[in-house]
Amino acid sequence: MTALNEKCILIKVETKTARFTKVDKALTSAAADACDTTATYVTGIRKQIDVRQAVIKAPGKIASAAGNYLDGKSPGALDDKFIPPLAHWDGGFRVLPLAMEQQVVRNLGESASQFDAAVVEVSKALPPLVERAKEENPKLFQDGEFDDIDGLIEEKYLFTVRKSVITDTSTHVLLKASKEYVAEITKEITDHARRREQEIVDNTIGWVIDIVTHLAGKLEAYDPKNKGKGTFRDATFTKVLDAVPVIRALNIHNDARIDQVATDLVTLVGTKNVDAVREDDATRAATAKEARDIAQNITAIFND
């Protein structure tokens, strides 16, 4: 097939959280009457409890952060490090290089633990919130909605990590099918895999360019004599170094160009003292130029 089924697996996060809101016919009717319209154009939403409470919002925030982690938009729950956006696959799965499996699974495992703990707190918070809703919202509160809180929690909340393998082309082909059909299916599956491989490369390169461009911008804006003008944190440096093993893990084709990108990043920040860069104007300017040059070089190489 391609390098995908040998060097990658599939992974996805499935989550459910409770909103504790319901469409209410009485509210919908009242809103329609008040606005001189019909239920076609308005909907009345009833909050079963006070959903503004932080404890109620917590599971949803954790679930969103886990999804954002796979999108490269949030740091890992365990190591606080970012990864590039993982390429998409069918059925909501993402393509995960085996070299990154342990890191990603551990972070998602921590997210799952945090989610489960947050759901426990929701179950503790619900009884007093329900009693309060009965007192403050007697006309709209409906008896029976919270009779079985444990059952409600089990039904409404879910956080699970699923893994799968990328099967080889041959497992998709019927042995008794015609040669033409086999060739057509094989080509379709192989082309699909190659598109995902290209997505991995594109995501990785785009991620690296964003990191080094961000570093260059921070260096150029920072003035140790006027710190209100801009900030330059140690994390801006360490984020570049953290990217190096990720880049190499994502290099599933052992592309020398991608390996050189990782080496360039080590050269860029690995031998420099962050305090010296922060305080010395010449060093800071030179490092910013190096970062810009790397970004431009990467763009030129991969757009060639």
Side-chain angles (χ1 to χ4, degrees), residues 55-246:
V55 67
I56 300 299
K57 296 179 180 179
K61 288 183 176 181
I62 295 168
S64 294
N68 287 337
Y69 173 60
L70 299 182
D71 276 330
K73 297 175 181 177
S74 293
L78 184 64
D79 63 12
D80 200 38
K81 295 180 180 179
F82 287 83
I83 61 172
L86 298 183
H88 292 271
W89 196 261
D90 301 329
F93 280 97
R94 303 297 191 96
V95 180
L96 175 64
L98 288 171
M100 292 174 60
E101 179 183 6
Q102 188 176 57
Q103 175 191 1
V104 172
V105 169
R106 282 182 173 179
N107 277 290
L108 293 179
E110 175 63 21
S111 293
S113 296
Q114 292 179 9
F115 183 89
D116 290 343
V119 171
V120 169
E121 294 305 311
V122 170
S123 66
K124 293 177 182 177
L126 277 179
L129 286 173
V130 169
E131 290 304 313
R132 180 180 153 202
K134 286 181 180 179
E135 294 174 4
E136 297 179 354
N137 194 27
K139 288 185 178 181
L140 293 178
F141 188 87
Q142 294 183 11
D143 291 332
E145 289 183 337
F146 293 93
D147 284 349
D148 182 8
I149 288 179
D150 289 341
L152 182 68
I153 292 292
E154 186 175 353
E155 175 191 354
K156 297 292 185 181
Y157 289 93
L158 171 72
F159 190 112
T160 184
V161 178
R162 290 182 55 193
K163 293 193 290 184
S164 185
V165 297
I166 301 174
T167 53
D168 186 70
T169 306
S170 59
T171 63
H172 291 269
V173 178
L174 297 175
L175 295 178
K176 294 183 179 180
S178 67
K179 290 183 178 180
E180 293 78 9
Y181 179 74
V182 169
E184 180 182 345
I185 294 300
T186 299
K187 182 178 184 304
E188 181 181 334
I189 295 170
T190 302
D191 287 348
H192 178 70
R194 284 175 177 162
R195 287 194 296 272
R196 299 291 76 80
E197 288 178 355
Q198 188 59 48
E199 187 179 344
I200 291 173
V201 174
D202 292 345
N203 287 350
T204 303
I205 296 308
W207 183 64
V208 173
I209 290 173
D210 286 345
I211 289 174
V212 293
T213 301
H214 176 76
L215 172 63
K218 288 294 185 180
L219 289 169
E220 290 163 350
Y222 184 74
D223 182 354
K225 298 175 183 177
N226 182 13
K227 296 182 179 180
K229 182 180 177 183
T231 59
F232 178 65
R233 298 183 175 89
D234 291 3
T236 307
F237 239 48
T238 56
K239 189 175 182 180
V240 176
L241 282 178
D242 289 343
V244 172
V246 177

Side-chain angles (χ1 to χ4, degrees), residues 26-44:
L27 281 177
T28 299
S29 178
D33 290 342
C35 297
D36 193 24
T37 184
T38 69
T40 302
Y41 302 102
V42 295
T43 301

Side-chain angles (χ1 to χ4, degrees), residues 201-213 240 243 247 257-265 268 290-304:
V201 174
D202 292 345
N203 287 350
T204 303
I205 296 308
W207 183 64
V208 173
I209 290 173
D210 286 345
I211 289 174
V212 293
T213 301
V240 176
I247 293 166
R257 299 173 303 168
I258 294 178
D259 188 62
Q260 185 60 49
V261 168
T263 300
D264 288 344
L265 295 188
L268 175 65
E290 284 181 63
R292 293 286 183 195
D293 289 346
I294 289 173
Q296 290 173 6
N297 185 50
I298 293 170
T299 301
I301 290 173
F302 287 92
N303 286 338
D304 189 5

